[in-house]
Amino acid sequence: MHIFRALVYVSLVVAPGCSSLPTKGDSIRNTIHSIINIAQITLVHIKKLRTRLPAAPQIEPSTPSIDGLTSITQDLGLLDNELQNPVTELLSQIQADVSSLEGRVRSFALTMDCPLQARPSGATSDSVFPDSQLHLTLTKVQRYLEKFILHKDKLKVC
């Protein structure tokens, strides 16, 4: 009989804590986790693509600072536009990843009531040196995402 009472007690006291609905904090953590996963997957795609490309010149593009959701959304939109250049059509998977990442961050920023600018227009320029443009764009995206992952705490601020 004592075992039965103990089981009833455990089911009444402990079980409600185990079956609670996700909190807003859990939702935010899950969203941030999925955003970081997309960024990490994109970096894997970049590294895989680099093995199929000829050796890249040493390029060190500057990357914008990562200040919060508003700037991250804007930066990802600009990178997405750059990836849509006909010269970079080889980067279609990377472009799809960055576009998905930008959409996820934008959606998250809206749920956090962050002020957002309109998505950057798709204006791209033609390059006289398509191979250099391809490597430059790929390096920009890679460096930005590496920096983004290091500063993932900025996903919690506008």
Side-chain angles (χ1 to χ4, degrees), residues 27 30-39 69 72-73 76 96-112 116 148 155:
S27 176
N30 289 341
T31 302
I32 290 173
H33 182 70
S34 76
I35 288 169
I36 296 302
N37 278 344
I38 294 170
L69 288 167
I72 293 168
T73 303
L76 289 171
D97 292 345
V98 170
S99 183
S100 173
L101 182 59
E102 189 269 341
R104 182 70 57 99
V105 172
R106 181 173 287 278
S107 175
F108 183 54
L110 289 171
T111 63
M112 299 292 287
L116 293 179
F148 171 76
L155 288 169

Side-chain angles (χ1 to χ4, degrees), residues 2-158:
H2 294 288
I3 294 174
F4 178 72
R5 284 185 197 168
L7 288 174
V8 169
Y9 175 77
V10 167
S11 67
L12 293 174
V13 174
V14 176
C18 295
S19 63
S20 65
L21 295 173
T23 64
K24 184 176 180 179
D26 291 338
S27 176
I28 290 171
R29 270 190 300 281
N30 289 341
T31 302
I32 290 173
H33 182 70
S34 76
I35 288 169
I36 296 302
N37 278 344
I38 294 170
Q40 290 171 330
I41 289 168
T42 305
L43 286 171
V44 169
H45 289 156
I46 290 170
K47 289 174 183 167
K48 185 176 178 183
L49 179 62
R50 282 199 186 277
T51 64
R52 297 189 341 224
L53 294 174
Q58 291 293 53
I59 303 172
E60 280 303 319
S62 63
T63 56
S65 64
I66 304 205
D67 300 322
L69 288 167
T70 301
S71 70
I72 293 168
T73 303
Q74 188 69 16
D75 297 337
L76 289 171
L78 293 169
L79 288 172
D80 185 24
N81 287 343
E82 194 167 331
L83 286 162
Q84 292 179 32
N85 188 323
V87 168
T88 60
E89 69 185 61
L90 183 61
L91 306 179
S92 61
Q93 178 62 56
I94 310 302
Q95 188 274 322
D97 292 345
V98 170
S99 183
S100 173
L101 182 59
E102 189 269 341
R104 182 70 57 99
V105 172
R106 181 173 287 278
S107 175
F108 183 54
L110 289 171
T111 63
M112 299 292 287
D113 294 325
C114 295
L116 293 179
Q117 298 174 4
R119 196 169 188 294
S121 66
T124 58
S125 61
D126 291 330
S127 175
V128 180
F129 303 104
D131 289 341
S132 295
Q133 181 66 38
L134 181 96
H135 285 291
L136 177 63
T137 301
L138 194 59
T139 302
K140 276 184 184 178
V141 174
Q142 182 177 358
R143 297 287 186 266
Y144 185 82
L145 293 178
E146 289 168 346
K147 190 174 181 181
F148 171 76
I149 290 170
L150 287 174
H151 295 92
K152 63 186 173 195
D153 58 313
K154 297 294 184 175
L155 288 169
K156 296 177 183 176
V157 297
C158 288

